[in-house]
Amino acid sequence: MDLTPTPEVTAFREEARAWLRAHVPARPLPSLETAEGFAAHRAWEARLSAARWSVVSWPERYGGRGADLERWLVFEEEYWAAGAPGRVSQNGISLLAPTLFDHGTEEQRARVLPPMASGEVVWAQAWSEPESGSDLASLRSKAVRTEGGWLLSGHKTWSSRAAFADRAFGIFRTDPQPAAAGRPHRGLTYLMFDLRAPGVTVRPIGRLDGKPAFAELFLDEVFVPDEDVIGEVGEGWRIAMSTTGDERGLTLRAPGRFLAAADRLVRLWRGREGGAADTALRDRVADAVVGARAYELFTWASAARIAAGRAAGAESSLNKVFWSEYDIALHETALDLLGADGELEGTDWAEPYVFALAGPIYAGTNEIQRDIIAERLLGLPKGRR
Amino acid sequence: MDLTPTPEVTAFREEARAWLRAHVPARPLPSLETAEGFAAHRAWEARLSAARWSVVSWPERYGGRGADLERWLVFEEEYWAAGAPGRVSQNGISLLAPTLFDHGTEEQRARVLPPMASGEVVWAQAWSEPESGSDLASLRSKAVRTEGGWLLSGHKTWSSRAAFADRAFGIFRTDPQPAAAGRPHRGLTYLMFDLRAPGVTVRPIGRLDGKPAFAELFLDEVFVPDEDVIGEVGEGWRIAMSTTGDERGLTLRAPGRFLAAADRLVRLWRGREGGAADTALRDRVADAVVGARAYELFTWASAARIAAGRAAGAESSLNKVFWSEYDIALHETALDLLGADGELEGTDWAEPYVFALAGPIYAGTNEIQRDIIAERLLGLPKGRR
Amino acid sequence: MRFLLTDEQSDLARTLASLLAASDVPGVARAWAAGDLAPGRALWARLAKAGLFALAVPEEHEGLGPLPVELAVAFVELGRYGVPGPLVETVAAAALLPAEHLPALAAGDLAATLTLPGGSPYALDPHAAALVLTVSAQGGLYAAPGHGEPLPSMDPARRLAVPAAGGALLATGVPTAEALRRARLLTAAQALGVGQALLERTVAYVKQRTQFGTPVGAFQAVKHRLADTLLALEFARPLVFGAAVTTADGDVAAAKLAAGGAAYRAARTALQLHGAVGYTQELELSLWLRKARPLRDAWGTPAQCRAEVLARYGEAGRTATARLTT
Amino acid sequence: MRFLLTDEQSDLARTLASLLAASDVPGVARAWAAGDLAPGRALWARLAKAGLFALAVPEEHEGLGPLPVELAVAFVELGRYGVPGPLVETVAAAALLPAEHLPALAAGDLAATLTLPGGSPYALDPHAAALVLTVSAQGGLYAAPGHGEPLPSMDPARRLAVPAAGGALLATGVPTAEALRRARLLTAAQALGVGQALLERTVAYVKQRTQFGTPVGAFQAVKHRLADTLLALEFARPLVFGAAVTTADGDVAAAKLAAGGAAYRAARTALQLHGAVGYTQELELSLWLRKARPLRDAWGTPAQCRAEVLARYGEAGRTATARLTT
């Protein structure tokens, strides 16, 4: 067991830290869920990318640094510790890009990844449909074969970023036969499409705080050329599942985010008059510190297992439940520390609190994650699902 | 809405308080789960009974005072506030007696109730069997018809008080046909039997702290005369269910117990050096006070509804879940307040803590109670059970 | 001793509920949040006509009260339907204001808001109040000459501003403690109603929403979570009405703690069990979802209420929180 | 950076596990509880032969250590099998004792118990220890001349007594903090093992126990409760091993907090899901059930650990709890 970084990793950390210290905007950007904030975040991605910090774990030819998992985790830690902006390209980088690496063609990677890395093209995800939340296999939106490509029709929802993004990716039913025969996971195909193509209507949906953090997409015979099909036609479910796995695992939620949040919480607590005497709040602040450390070390252990060639598997469900509940508890503690200001919309903690509330819902509800933990990690009998 | 007692109720309260103040043993009796303690508690019951305080809500002819629900609640409050001993006759008083009032004959009541009231005969319950915990309908112990009565055979377990008690009551399968035909709730009969009758073997079971708080009963053709059948042969399930309802309801857990426990907890907290500054513990002590008050008022509301002729019904499941989890939390707080002494077997809090731990298990597990709450009070679909 | 609502009290709840059910309160609340106060004021007038504010005012000043139990009954309904505005504050102000203001307040013609010494620096919705009151530590009641820019709360139907210092002295030696008790009790009642609305809507939703071919409400995890939500609300309810009966400070703090906590728990449950759809502003549910936490903290955070419960425990004349009787 | 047990460390766990699996530890623990120490001492000797105590002693004193990671690995197994006796205390004492005692300790011939300044007044199992140690606030190490009557703990395999004051001064200026760190870290490891044993046994039980015609483990409420138990243990585990690597006070306190809490939660879960049968002394399960809470509190209650975590947070040279690197 070893927690000492090599000199190379330390050098990498210092390089990242120095760049971030010099470049992170002194004042937070406007919310990325507004038109103005979206543009500001896109500009930030361009700056990150120009210095090759936007996608450190990608190969150099697509704009990355070929960093291994250890460096990626170190970069994320520094990134969040520096108070750098949220990543508007997150969906593309952590959901679509891994799929292209695994299932895309070289032509697709060369075409899609560099503008994703630079923020020139921002991607939205288009998984859910109104009747298919947790139950993704019941998707109905379809793609019908046409000359040189496919025509998409249907209704997607909870498409995060779609209010302002450029393109989207999702799975569509290209063959209705298997579903009719009781095999709904078959006959689905993974496609990329343009949110400004004819036939696309984007209706932004206001989040709890009113910001259009996601949108509904109404698709009416939207043309998608064959070059924008990822992997084999009809294999979309299998391909999407590996992508979903990533969303739940390391790629979305590096510990740096939570370490930085716990750090801010401690500062808030220490800055509060008479705060230290209140052991009830102290205990919750301590729990946030311990939780961030636990998540960090859990992630290092996962990274070491992955580096040793062992797959992550169902442990990513433990991960998802932990960070999503951790994140809410931390932000609730912050609001309580703020006292009468805790309910104000305008504090630094309000938007992240609202964002945290969604954690147990998206990327597989925590109810489903607990079923997976019980069945796959503990071997308990499958219940009705 | 009115929380003011009438002068008569206040006079009753004062009479009870005066008697208890004069008679409650200055030092706690030995644990009622020991032979010595059992005898001491039985003697206490005799004293209570001689002054007609053992069963205040029973008719006078059986040893009671014909007190209404309000007086009964007032008596319980005073009883526990006075630090009076646990009730060794509890099983008989709160489980068997209500059944006899509803389903017994006058001959049975006259014969059974007075010695129960005086502690001369202490009753154990004999519901569970090794394969039937929550699932009572799957009982296998049987009663076979014989000249003038029945012969009991089978294996009962978790029979609380049975290590030292005199008699027991339970349900037995008198007709195997309905169960074989898929109707296991039919063909059961409610019987009383003597724990010292030929054919009865009592094997005490040590609780977590080693005390024989319950026993297994091995029954081998134990004769029960017809006069000890309660209600109609074959109707035992229906009869037992109404009894189980009482166990979960008002009769077992008067708020006085929890009010007194919260009071002791506050005293422990106030007596602790520097305790008031520890808001984490303060908050838990406050929660105990609030919980006791909530339980008290909830009970008064139930009593008022019952007095107005409305049945308690599934709300008793709310009651059960509340007090059982409340009781554990309160005792955990007490142990934490005790610091290094918290783990000692010999403190005033150790035995009640161990006792509290059983709360969510017996009288219908809290999992089952939550199913009942969801299905009967909220109308959610029945799941697999 | 009969700890049950009287028929008249139950009738009051029904009357208000049917008035509110016919009033498109969600629309009123959205308009209020957008700064259009007219529909809210119209609703305020209808509530006044039904006797709401009169319950807070003594008979000699053209009121019917003060009737804390009836007020608690009413505020449960106000919470349940999500009525916006400084309702609690107006009723609390009735305990402080000089007699000449009370007939107007009883008639619904005087919306007031206030801060109290030692409490939050913010007054709720001062832009919607005819009187913005402050009380000095010495018990002087002032009509604030203005207030800071109203700041948006995470509940869009609430705005908060710090009243300007000074202003006209309206009265001296006012009963601050009584105003705080009222505000705390009725916020508790309102929170209870909010929690009830959240639970009702969530139960209805999980019965109808299917996933994996089954109503979501058939899953045991969903059932147990809703059972716990009901449990918390049903044990908060007697505390709220008990506090209305005794008006003991410890009881009021206990009621606020329990009802506020139960409402926030109901909000978390409602959000989780609605899934993504619950997370949107569009669904009516958001009206209550965003109200639960501010109400949990208004006029007494959980920590403040817990401290009060213990400070009052065993107070002379009230054994226990108060224990019912002596 | 490779935060994984080495093959040698995994082998150590396996070796100890098979030694313990073959040692009827439940029987040993029952005898220990009944005052018959012989089987426990025999097991102690076998563990010593496998190298357990040598891990705590430097090589120059006939040990192999100190090796905190290996000790943590070992104590997880000791907890998992429920081994009784002052094991943690003996390993902590190795940090304090003068060199002449260390070879005997490494060889398993010296069982010690101790109290440390500012901690619990009780020493664990002094009747079973050859040395009962106390440390003065000034860092003087004393061999207590005796101890009070050992008091039974709610865990029958533990007895507690207050060491007599005074006695022979064995050393001065001893590293109290290091002894506390060891005791706390290894109690955390032991608690983790206890939690793991409780979870393993409960999972096995609910697969086999049927009610209403279904294995109890198919009910979603049961599944989710066990999932949460696993979650708590699996996030405590990296804290325990991380603390063994960094030996930072904040990390050690975090590990103790998390592992102790997870073990107690596992005990509550195990009890509830076993139902009545879990509530009996007879079932082997009770061996771990009754150990979880004392271990949660020994050498640092949750409150003490939380205070320590924050006191150490951001300490110079260790960013964050400590943050891994700088």
Side-chain angles (χ1 to χ4, degrees):
Chain A
M1 286 214 134
D2 181 14
L3 285 168
T4 318
T6 58
E8 291 73 24
V9 169
T10 301
F12 174 85
R13 181 190 288 277
E14 279 162 9
E15 186 188 349
R17 186 182 293 179
W19 188 88
L20 289 161
R21 200 166 280 168
H23 293 87
V24 165
R27 279 197 302 184
L29 304 183
S31 165
L32 99 82
E33 313 294 3
T34 62
E36 181 202 2
F38 198 89
H41 281 77
R42 195 198 282 266
W44 165 251
E45 292 288 326
R47 258 175 296 155
L48 265 183
S49 174
R52 282 200 309 123
W53 290 115
S54 75
V55 287
V56 295
S57 63
W58 290 9
E60 297 195 12
R61 66 182 177 286
Y62 305 127
R65 291 173 178 243
D68 59 11
L69 216 43
E70 182 174 351
R71 282 179 176 77
W72 179 72
L73 288 167
V74 163
F75 174 74
E76 288 284 316
E77 188 182 335
E78 292 299 327
Y79 187 87
W80 295 107
R87 301 294 304 272
V88 71
S89 293
Q90 180 80 345
N91 277 327
I93 292 171
S94 66
L95 298 174
L96 177 57
T99 304
L100 286 172
F101 285 121
D102 288 356
H103 304 282
T105 63
E106 181 49 41
E107 182 279 325
Q108 286 173 328
R109 286 192 282 267
R111 173 162 55 86
V112 172
L113 295 178
M116 180 193 292
S118 68
E120 193 186 326
V121 175
V122 177
W123 291 82
Q125 46 99 336
W127 298 126
S128 297
E129 298 182 6
E131 298 306 314
S132 306
S134 296
D135 185 7
L136 271 182
S138 65
L139 296 172
R140 293 184 199 168
S141 291
K142 63 185 178 182
V144 176
R145 188 71 200 149
T146 189
E147 175 76 32
W150 300 82
L151 293 173
L152 308 187
S153 296
H155 181 185
K156 293 281 182 181
T157 191
W158 315 128
S159 180
S160 44
R161 291 302 103 79
F164 307 110
D166 306 296
R167 306 201 73 203
F169 53 93
I171 55 176
F172 292 82
R173 202 162 287 287
T174 40
D175 181 358
Q177 295 297 343
R183 303 176 66 191
H185 300 75
R186 307 300 305 267
L188 294 159
T189 298
Y190 201 126
L191 298 161
M192 301 181 279
F193 59 99
D194 198 317
L195 284 167
R196 297 189 189 112
V200 178
T201 307
V202 176
R203 194 184 73 84
I205 305 178
R207 189 169 64 178
L208 271 187
D209 62 5
K211 296 191 183 108
F214 20 60
E216 282 184 290
L217 306 179
F218 298 92
L219 307 172
D220 182 14
E221 303 205 333
V222 178
F223 179 72
V224 173
D226 283 330
E227 63 180 21
D228 283 346
V229 172
I230 302 178
E232 278 179 53
V233 169
E235 291 296 315
W237 177 258
R238 190 176 56 75
I239 294 169
M241 280 301 99
S242 64
T243 301
T244 307
D246 284 322
E247 185 188 12
R248 289 167 191 168
L250 290 174
T251 41
L252 184 62
R253 292 280 172 169
R257 236 187 113 97
F258 302 112
L259 291 166
D263 214 60
R264 288 174 62 214
L265 188 73
V266 174
R267 273 183 273 140
L268 179 66
W269 175 67
R270 286 190 174 150
R272 202 169 147 263
E273 247 179 286
D278 185 335
T279 55
L281 278 163
R282 181 205 68 186
D283 282 359
R284 292 164 64 197
V285 174
D287 286 346
V289 169
V290 171
R293 181 70 167 147
Y295 189 73
E296 176 184 28
L297 290 168
F298 185 91
T299 306
W300 284 111
S302 298
R305 276 193 296 274
I306 291 168
R310 288 183 246 157
E315 80 189 35
S316 66
S317 291
L318 289 171
N319 197 306
K320 160 76 209 292
V321 173
F322 186 88
W323 68 248
S324 58
E325 301 197 341
Y326 172 83
D327 206 24
I328 293 177
L330 183 148
H331 286 91
E332 286 179 338
T333 304
L335 297 186
D336 284 345
L337 282 166
L338 288 172
D341 287 348
E343 81 165 277
L344 296 180
E345 181 73 16
T347 70
D348 289 350
W349 294 93
E351 183 165 358
Y353 164 69
V354 171
F355 180 71
L357 286 176
I361 299 171
Y362 70 88
T365 66
N366 284 13
E367 287 79 9
I368 287 185
Q369 303 295 352
R370 286 192 168 88
D371 282 349
I372 293 172
I373 292 167
E375 292 165 16
R376 298 201 202 151
L377 293 175
L378 295 175
L380 293 173
K382 233 177 135 67
R384 281 195 328 202
R385 175 96 52 74
Chain B
M1 287 217 132
D2 180 13
L3 285 168
T4 317
T6 58
E8 292 74 24
V9 169
T10 302
F12 174 85
R13 179 190 290 276
E14 279 162 9
E15 188 188 349
R17 185 180 295 178
W19 188 89
L20 288 161
R21 200 166 282 170
H23 293 87
V24 165
R27 278 197 301 183
L29 304 184
S31 166
L32 97 81
E33 313 294 2
T34 62
E36 180 203 3
F38 198 90
H41 281 79
R42 195 198 283 266
W44 165 251
E45 292 288 325
R47 258 175 296 155
L48 264 183
S49 174
R52 282 200 306 123
W53 289 116
S54 76
V55 288
V56 294
S57 63
W58 290 10
E60 298 193 11
R61 67 182 174 287
Y62 306 126
R65 294 176 175 240
D68 59 11
L69 216 42
E70 180 173 352
R71 282 178 177 77
W72 179 73
L73 287 167
V74 162
F75 173 76
E76 288 286 315
E77 186 182 335
E78 292 298 327
Y79 186 86
W80 295 108
R87 301 295 303 274
V88 70
S89 293
Q90 180 80 348
N91 278 327
I93 293 171
S94 66
L95 297 175
L96 177 58
T99 304
L100 287 171
F101 285 122
D102 288 356
H103 304 282
T105 64
E106 181 50 38
E107 182 278 325
Q108 286 172 326
R109 286 191 283 267
R111 175 164 51 88
V112 172
L113 294 177
M116 179 192 293
S118 69
E120 193 185 325
V121 175
V122 177
W123 291 82
Q125 46 99 336
W127 298 127
S128 297
E129 298 182 6
E131 299 305 314
S132 306
S134 295
D135 184 9
L136 271 183
S138 64
L139 295 172
R140 293 182 201 170
S141 291
K142 64 186 178 180
V144 176
R145 189 69 199 152
T146 186
E147 176 76 30
W150 301 81
L151 293 173
L152 308 187
S153 297
H155 181 184
K156 294 279 183 181
T157 191
W158 315 125
S159 180
S160 44
R161 288 308 98 79
F164 308 109
D166 307 295
R167 306 202 72 204
F169 53 94
I171 55 177
F172 292 81
R173 200 162 289 287
T174 41
D175 181 357
Q177 295 297 344
R183 303 176 65 192
H185 300 76
R186 306 301 302 267
L188 294 159
T189 298
Y190 200 123
L191 299 161
M192 301 180 280
F193 59 101
D194 198 319
L195 284 168
R196 291 176 197 124
V200 176
T201 307
V202 176
R203 194 184 72 86
I205 304 178
R207 190 169 64 178
L208 271 188
D209 63 4
K211 299 196 182 104
F214 20 61
E216 281 184 290
L217 306 178
F218 299 92
L219 307 172
D220 182 16
E221 303 205 335
V222 177
F223 179 72
V224 173
D226 283 332
E227 63 180 22
D228 283 346
V229 172
I230 303 178
E232 278 179 53
V233 169
E235 291 295 315
W237 177 260
R238 190 176 57 74
I239 294 169
M241 282 302 98
S242 65
T243 301
T244 307
D246 285 323
E247 186 189 9
R248 289 168 191 166
L250 289 174
T251 42
L252 183 60
R253 293 278 171 170
R257 239 188 110 98
F258 302 111
L259 291 165
D263 215 59
R264 288 174 63 215
L265 188 73
V266 173
R267 272 182 275 138
L268 179 64
W269 174 68
R270 287 189 174 153
R272 202 168 148 263
E273 247 179 286
D278 185 334
T279 54
L281 278 163
R282 180 205 69 187
D283 282 0
R284 292 164 64 197
V285 174
D287 286 345
V289 169
V290 171
R293 181 68 167 148
Y295 189 74
E296 177 184 26
L297 290 167
F298 184 92
T299 307
W300 283 110
S302 298
R305 276 193 296 273
I306 292 168
R310 287 182 246 158
E315 80 190 33
S316 66
S317 291
L318 288 171
N319 198 306
K320 162 77 209 295
V321 173
F322 186 87
W323 68 248
S324 58
E325 302 199 339
Y326 172 82
D327 207 20
I328 292 178
L330 183 148
H331 286 91
E332 286 178 338
T333 303
L335 296 186
D336 285 345
L337 282 166
L338 288 172
D341 286 348
E343 82 165 279
L344 295 180
E345 181 72 17
T347 70
D348 289 352
W349 294 93
E351 183 165 356
Y353 164 69
V354 172
F355 180 73
L357 286 177
I361 298 170
Y362 69 89
T365 66
N366 285 11
E367 286 79 8
I368 287 187
Q369 303 295 354
R370 286 192 168 90
D371 282 350
I372 293 172
I373 293 167
E375 291 165 17
R376 299 201 203 151
L377 294 175
L378 295 175
L380 293 172
K382 232 176 137 65
R384 281 194 327 198
R385 172 100 50 78
Chain C
M1 161 92 70
R2 185 176 176 278
F3 189 49
L4 260 189
L5 293 180
T6 62
D7 290 347
E8 293 72 24
Q9 289 161 343
S10 301
D11 284 348
L12 172 64
R14 268 191 295 274
T15 303
L16 288 173
S18 62
L19 185 162
L20 292 167
S23 295
D24 180 26
V25 182
V28 171
R30 281 185 208 285
W32 191 271
D36 172 11
L37 308 182
R41 287 188 166 138
L43 177 56
W44 187 287
R46 284 200 298 285
L47 288 165
K49 215 166 150 193
L52 176 66
F53 299 102
L55 297 172
V57 172
E59 289 187 36
E60 62 264 37
H61 303 301
E62 303 179 26
L64 303 162
L67 292 170
V69 175
E70 281 71 8
L71 282 165
V73 165
F75 273 80
V76 170
E77 297 306 319
L78 298 176
R80 203 167 141 229
Y81 285 89
V83 180
L87 295 151
V88 160
E89 291 69 21
T90 298
V91 170
L96 304 174
L97 283 167
E100 74 246 38
H101 293 284
L102 294 182
L105 192 150
D109 297 332
L110 178 62
T113 189
L114 78 164
T115 61
L116 291 174
S120 164
Y122 299 115
L124 175 67
D125 288 348
H127 63 295
L131 268 178
V132 179
L133 301 170
T134 65
V135 179
S136 68
Q138 294 74 35
L141 178 70
Y142 293 85
H147 54 79
E149 176 64 21
L151 303 170
S153 154
M154 282 195 262
D155 174 2
R158 289 169 62 91
R159 292 187 202 179
L160 303 174
V162 180
L169 179 65
L170 302 182
T172 56
V174 295
T176 309
E178 170 59 18
L180 176 61
R181 253 193 307 273
R182 281 195 191 186
R184 195 170 269 182
L185 172 66
L186 299 180
T187 305
Q190 209 180 351
L192 183 63
V194 166
Q196 200 176 315
L198 288 163
L199 177 63
E200 285 162 5
R201 276 162 193 261
T202 307
V203 166
Y205 181 77
V206 301
K207 284 180 185 170
Q208 151 262 308
R209 167 78 171 176
T210 63
Q211 288 282 279
F212 307 104
T214 307
V216 168
F219 289 101
Q220 201 183 26
V222 170
K223 288 161 78 167
H224 284 199
R225 188 154 181 177
L226 288 167
D228 284 334
T229 305
L230 178 70
L231 185 86
L233 290 166
E234 289 310 310
F235 278 87
R237 185 181 309 281
L239 285 172
V240 168
F241 288 108
V245 171
T246 69
T247 68
D249 287 321
D251 275 350
V252 170
K256 178 76 214 304
L257 174 67
Y264 186 58
R265 172 190 279 236
R268 289 283 313 277
T269 298
L271 178 56
Q272 183 65 21
L273 299 187
H274 275 79
V277 77
Y279 191 65
T280 62
Q281 189 189 33
E282 297 177 9
L283 199 74
E284 254 178 31
L285 184 78
S286 72
L287 180 61
W288 294 274
L289 270 182
R290 294 179 292 185
K291 211 176 276 305
R293 193 176 171 95
L295 290 185
R296 190 201 68 170
D297 291 344
W299 300 111
T301 63
Q304 288 165 340
C305 291
R306 289 189 173 104
E308 178 83 0
V309 162
L310 283 178
R312 301 294 180 175
Y313 185 81
E315 243 184 11
R318 309 192 203 273
T319 66
T321 334
R323 196 72 65 75
L324 287 176
T325 50
T326 319
Chain D
M1 160 93 68
R2 186 175 175 277
F3 190 49
L4 260 191
L5 293 180
T6 61
D7 289 347
E8 292 73 22
Q9 289 162 344
S10 301
D11 284 348
L12 172 64
R14 267 190 295 273
T15 303
L16 288 173
S18 61
L19 184 161
L20 292 166
S23 297
D24 181 26
V25 182
V28 171
R30 279 184 209 286
W32 191 271
D36 172 10
L37 307 183
R41 287 189 167 139
L43 177 56
W44 188 288
R46 285 200 297 286
L47 288 166
K49 216 169 149 190
L52 176 67
F53 300 103
L55 298 173
V57 172
E59 289 187 37
E60 63 265 37
H61 303 301
E62 303 180 25
L64 304 161
L67 292 170
V69 175
E70 281 71 8
L71 282 165
V73 165
F75 274 80
V76 170
E77 298 306 318
L78 298 177
R80 203 168 140 226
Y81 284 89
V83 180
L87 295 151
V88 160
E89 291 69 21
T90 297
V91 169
L96 304 174
L97 283 167
E100 73 248 35
H101 293 284
L102 296 181
L105 192 149
D109 297 332
L110 177 64
T113 189
L114 78 165
T115 61
L116 290 174
S120 165
Y122 299 115
L124 175 66
D125 288 348
H127 62 296
L131 268 177
V132 178
L133 302 170
T134 65
V135 179
S136 68
Q138 294 74 35
L141 178 71
Y142 294 85
H147 55 78
E149 175 64 21
L151 304 170
S153 154
M154 282 195 261
D155 174 1
R158 289 168 62 90
R159 290 184 205 182
L160 302 174
V162 179
L169 178 65
L170 302 183
T172 57
V174 295
T176 309
E178 171 59 17
L180 177 61
R181 252 192 309 273
R182 281 195 191 186
R184 193 170 270 180
L185 172 67
L186 299 181
T187 306
Q190 209 182 350
L192 183 63
V194 166
Q196 200 176 316
L198 288 162
L199 177 62
E200 284 162 5
R201 277 161 192 261
T202 307
V203 166
Y205 181 78
V206 301
K207 284 179 185 169
Q208 151 263 309
R209 168 78 171 173
T210 62
Q211 286 283 280
F212 306 104
T214 308
V216 168
F219 289 101
Q220 200 181 28
V222 170
K223 289 162 77 167
H224 284 199
R225 189 155 179 177
L226 288 168
D228 284 333
T229 305
L230 178 70
L231 185 85
L233 291 167
E234 289 309 311
F235 279 87
R237 186 181 308 282
L239 285 172
V240 168
F241 287 106
V245 171
T246 69
T247 68
D249 287 321
D251 274 350
V252 170
K256 179 76 213 306
L257 174 68
Y264 186 59
R265 173 190 279 237
R268 290 283 313 276
T269 298
L271 178 58
Q272 183 64 22
L273 300 187
H274 276 79
V277 76
Y279 192 62
T280 62
Q281 190 189 31
E282 298 178 11
L283 199 73
E284 254 179 30
L285 185 78
S286 71
L287 179 60
W288 293 274
L289 269 181
R290 294 179 293 185
K291 211 175 277 305
R293 194 178 171 94
L295 290 185
R296 191 202 67 171
D297 292 345
W299 300 112
T301 63
Q304 288 164 339
C305 291
R306 287 188 173 107
E308 178 82 1
V309 161
L310 284 178
R312 300 295 179 175
Y313 185 81
E315 245 184 11
R318 310 192 204 272
T319 66
T321 332
R323 195 72 65 75
L324 287 176
T325 49
T326 319

